[in-house]
Amino acid sequence: MTAPVVLDPLDLAALISSRLCHDVISPVGAIVNGLEVLEEEKDPQMREFALDLVRKSAMQASARLQFARLAYGAAGSAGAMIDLADAEGVTRGFMRDSKAEMTWTAPRALLPKNKVKLLLNLVVIASSTIPRGGSLDIAVEGVEPDTSFRLTTRGVMARIPAHVEDLIAGTPPENRVDAHVIQPFYAGLVARETGMDVNMVIDGDTVTITAQDTLPDPQFGA
């Protein structure tokens, strides 16, 4: 079995930062464009269009940053627990402008921070499996410490993106990790940290992603 690639902490931080900048640069750029139109344009209709652009882009940037704070950031001290209701809220904001309709089924519960981070990173991966839109069903099953995740996507031309399974496993092609693939690689890091195993299966126009505990039950020993 190939050992996972280990990144230098500074390289990991730099690649995650690049990913975050990529996610927010588009709505931030749209805000700047809208403000420039407001400064120069006198036509009421154009000004209203620019205001609407600024308003929608600001909401999109805010939603992406709130999602990223939980998916990639500290979001509390070490060992923190996060409410699944908060995770649902930021996920709905993140998916609001996507082509996919989302459903969320989960108990009212607190989960360890890193498990929530894994769930949100799996949402990003799941959304990439239906580039033409469709549906995304997110289910959190069981109770701690035996919580598991199931994300199911359905859509035309559904696919598992190239190399994403290798990246989650920490074994990218040619052992190379860059800003374009850091997100699924990072998801794999979090999965191993939480002791969860991630699997992806495609059947026609349906992709299923599952994550469940791989650690042995303490009562039965290692």
Side-chain angles (χ1 to χ4, degrees), residues 37-144:
V37 171
L38 286 174
E39 288 179 352
E40 302 171 0
E41 187 61 58
K42 303 300 181 184
D43 180 75
Q45 287 187 325
M46 287 300 297
R47 289 180 63 83
E48 182 58 33
F49 172 80
L51 277 172
D52 188 55
L53 176 64
V54 170
R55 187 181 304 112
K56 290 181 178 177
S57 299
M59 290 177 62
Q60 187 180 61
S62 176
R64 291 185 181 184
L65 287 172
Q66 290 181 58
F67 182 88
R69 178 174 174 269
L70 286 187
Y72 309 115
S77 60
M81 304 290 282
I82 295 177
D83 194 327
L84 279 174
D86 293 336
E88 178 184 3
V90 299
T91 301
R92 290 194 179 281
F94 176 77
M95 295 294 296
R96 184 176 295 119
D97 296 314
S98 76
K99 299 176 183 179
E101 295 185 5
M102 187 195 96
T103 63
W104 178 284
T105 306
R108 296 178 61 89
L110 299 175
L111 287 189
K113 173 182 66 178
N114 282 342
K115 284 196 174 183
V116 173
K117 289 162 74 74
L118 175 59
L119 175 59
L120 298 190
N121 275 273
L122 293 180
V123 168
V124 177
I125 294 170
S127 65
S128 72
T129 67
I130 43 173
R132 297 191 179 183
S135 64
L136 167 58
D137 300 322
I138 304 166
V140 180
E141 302 165 345
V143 295
E144 279 300 292

Side-chain angles (χ1 to χ4, degrees), residues 7 12 15-16 18-19 22 72 121 125 161-173 175-189:
L7 287 183
L12 177 61
L15 291 171
I16 291 292
S18 294
R19 169 70 193 214
H22 174 271
Y72 309 115
N121 275 273
I125 294 170
H163 308 305
V164 71
E165 292 173 285
D166 292 332
L167 288 160
I168 292 173
T171 56
N175 290 337
R176 181 178 178 181
V177 182
D178 58 26
H180 292 97
V181 300
I182 187 59
Q183 190 276 322
F185 182 85
Y186 177 75
L189 290 177

Side-chain angles (χ1 to χ4, degrees), residues 148-199:
S148 62
F149 307 138
R150 179 179 296 272
L151 296 86
T152 307
T153 59
R154 299 178 180 86
V156 177
M157 300 295 290
R159 60 187 177 85
I160 296 177
H163 308 305
V164 71
E165 292 173 285
D166 292 332
L167 288 160
I168 292 173
T171 56
E174 301 179 1
N175 290 337
R176 181 178 178 181
V177 182
D178 58 26
H180 292 97
V181 300
I182 187 59
Q183 190 276 322
F185 182 85
Y186 177 75
L189 290 177
V190 180
R192 289 187 289 280
E193 176 66 23
T194 60
M196 298 187 80
D197 185 41
V198 177
N199 288 286

